[in-house]
Amino acid sequence: MAAIYLIIQTLFVISTSAQSTLEVPTDSISLFTTDWNDVTTSTGELNDLLPDTNTTMSNLMVTSPKQTTLAPSEADDNDNVTLNIVGFFPGKSNVISMEGVLPACQLALDHVNSRDDILPGYFLNLDYGNTQCNPGYGTKVLFEFINSNTTYLIVLGAGCSGVAQPISMAANLWNLVQMSYGASNPALSNRNRYPSFYRTYAPDSLYNYARLDIIKYFNWTKVATLHENQELFSSTINDLSSKLRDNGIEILTSESFTVDPSEQVKNLKEKNARIIFGNFYEDMARQVFCEVYKQKMYGKHYVWFILGWYTHNWWTVEDPNIDCTPEQLYEAIDGYLATENIDLSIYRDQTTSSGFVSKS
């Protein structure tokens, strides 16, 4: 996966700091920064991407409160030096499922470690924790790793934005570079708050260009929004609302909810909203569309836009918080539109609605 690929390139530079003379490879390192700009820099210039001007590649080793000088441990079976990565994975939580990410990362590391032409003399080791997509639990896991006797060079994850944010703010204090594979909160693009954070996943606000293009294509003039009260969703909706106003699109109502979306769905019906943009986690999506079914806000006279990174057949997942059947949910969501990254685009050189191309 892309995050592992970028981490390997970064670790190649970090590993050379153990030598008496830092040899700068001629190859370039390509990173997606948090505002999704494609930054191409030589390894000598990578110091400019580090948390502060006093941090260089040669002193990037983690120093925890209990340890003053740390160095990578040595592998037992050979003379390879072990480079440790700390990973954060949500596993299967009640809001999102990324169970396939960890096996993919482990497979990528196995491939790298089995080759002699990538990071020769080094062995990549991944230690990881299950954050359950919970910010408090994720931060606890980070400090447990930092206060262990293991040196970590880089953070992989987290997959959930709510976990990635506090981890990034804390990891930066230990000069840890963080590479996320799934955090989409636009707020993470703030380089002042998250100076050592990078990702291979587009901020959700970039989808607003595509959403706006679809609105213009169908000549819709009135829309409505519904989102869950979390920064990940509210910041994206705020950005969308700004773009809609700038393009003369009327927002009939902008509804938000924390626990139960029933009243907000009823408000959408009272406002006669027909084009509705929804931003919420998967578990809340089931609650939203259960109420949509009850209010009969579906069919050919309604268009629902939601997120595209839910699990496969997410409406069939057993959920004690709703009293609708999977068949009823399917009837309510039939025909919805979703926005998601294109991992393997066949149009690599074609400029998209966001102004970017898929080719890195």
Side-chain angles (χ1 to χ4, degrees):
M1 50 191 304
I4 288 291
Y5 175 71
L6 295 178
I7 283 177
I8 291 169
Q9 295 188 73
T10 305
L11 284 175
F12 180 84
V13 183
I14 295 174
S15 65
T16 60
S17 64
Q19 304 173 5
S20 58
T21 301
L22 179 62
E23 298 178 1
V24 181
T26 57
D27 294 339
S28 292
I29 292 179
S30 182
L31 296 174
F32 286 115
T33 64
T34 51
D35 57 2
W36 205 243
N37 292 321
D38 188 13
V39 176
T40 302
T41 175
S42 68
T43 51
E45 295 170 343
L46 189 60
N47 291 326
D48 296 335
L49 302 178
L50 294 176
D52 55 70
T53 56
N54 296 323
T55 303
T56 64
M57 297 309 297
S58 60
N59 63 13
L60 192 60
M61 297 299 181
V62 181
T63 302
S64 73
K66 291 185 178 180
Q67 298 164 304
T68 56
T69 303
L70 298 175
S73 59
E74 304 249 340
D76 294 332
D77 297 335
N78 51 49
D79 293 331
N80 289 344
V81 176
T82 299
L83 302 179
N84 294 298
I85 304 169
V86 56
F88 295 87
F89 302 92
K92 186 175 183 180
S93 68
N94 62 335
V95 295
I96 191 171
S97 178
M98 293 187 179
E99 294 176 288
V101 176
L102 177 57
C105 291
Q106 292 172 322
L107 180 63
L109 292 179
D110 288 343
H111 285 171
V112 172
N113 288 329
S114 66
R115 295 179 56 171
D116 297 329
D117 58 335
I118 302 178
L119 286 177
Y122 294 92
F123 177 86
L124 299 184
N125 175 65
L126 175 64
D127 294 331
Y128 58 90
N130 184 352
T131 68
Q132 302 177 25
C133 208
N134 184 301
Y137 195 80
T139 304
K140 175 179 178 292
V141 172
L142 172 66
F143 287 125
E144 288 177 349
F145 279 122
I146 286 179
N147 285 284
S148 68
N149 293 321
T150 303
T151 302
Y152 293 104
L153 302 180
I154 200 164
V155 174
L156 175 62
C160 299
S161 295
V163 179
Q165 289 174 269
I167 285 179
S168 180
M169 297 179 73
N172 180 53
L173 301 177
W174 278 268
N175 292 331
L176 277 168
V177 175
Q178 180 178 1
M179 181 69 69
S180 174
Y181 51 82
S184 61
N185 190 342
L188 285 162
S189 297
N190 188 325
R191 300 304 290 166
N192 293 323
R193 291 183 63 186
Y194 310 103
S196 60
F197 179 85
Y198 301 89
R199 54 181 158 192
T200 58
Y201 197 90
D204 190 58
S205 56
L206 283 185
Y207 301 140
N208 287 337
Y209 293 99
R211 292 163 179 149
L212 182 60
D213 274 3
I214 294 175
I215 292 174
K216 291 180 177 180
Y217 180 84
F218 288 104
N219 294 318
W220 294 327
T221 58
K222 299 179 181 180
V223 302
T225 65
L226 174 66
H227 71 275
E228 186 176 351
N229 278 326
Q230 295 204 32
E231 186 182 24
L232 165 63
F233 307 117
S234 59
S235 57
T236 299
I237 291 298
N238 290 340
D239 178 77
L240 175 62
S241 298
S242 177
K243 286 179 170 58
L244 293 174
R245 287 191 294 267
D246 292 343
N247 286 270
I249 309 298
E250 181 182 353
I251 304 174
L252 294 174
T253 183
S254 185
E255 302 289 336
S256 62
F257 63 91
T258 301
V259 179
D260 184 1
S262 300
E263 288 301 317
Q264 285 69 34
V265 173
K266 293 177 183 177
N267 290 341
L268 291 171
K269 185 175 184 179
E270 291 177 0
K271 296 290 185 178
N272 197 30
R274 301 303 178 106
I275 313 299
I276 305 164
F277 292 86
N279 263 40
F280 27 74
Y281 277 121
E282 177 184 317
D283 60 331
M284 288 300 177
R286 287 188 286 270
Q287 294 189 44
V288 166
F289 284 99
C290 184
E291 186 62 31
V292 166
Y293 177 82
K294 295 174 182 178
Q295 298 297 326
K296 300 188 182 301
M297 295 178 61
Y298 59 90
K300 64 180 181 179
H301 296 297
Y302 289 90
V303 178
W304 283 90
F305 287 80
I306 59 175
L307 301 172
W309 41 257
Y310 299 160
T311 55
H312 184 61
N313 291 337
W314 55 270
W315 57 90
T316 64
V317 175
E318 185 176 350
D319 193 334
N321 297 314
I322 62 173
D323 55 2
C324 294
T325 65
E327 292 74 21
Q328 291 171 332
L329 287 180
Y330 183 81
E331 186 175 354
I333 67 173
D334 188 24
Y336 77 84
L337 299 178
T339 51
E340 174 60 312
N341 283 326
I342 300 178
D343 295 327
L344 296 174
S345 175
I346 62 174
Y347 306 107
R348 300 189 65 198
D349 297 313
Q350 179 175 319
T351 303
T352 64
S353 299
S354 65
F356 297 95
V357 295
S358 60
K359 181 179 180 181
S360 61

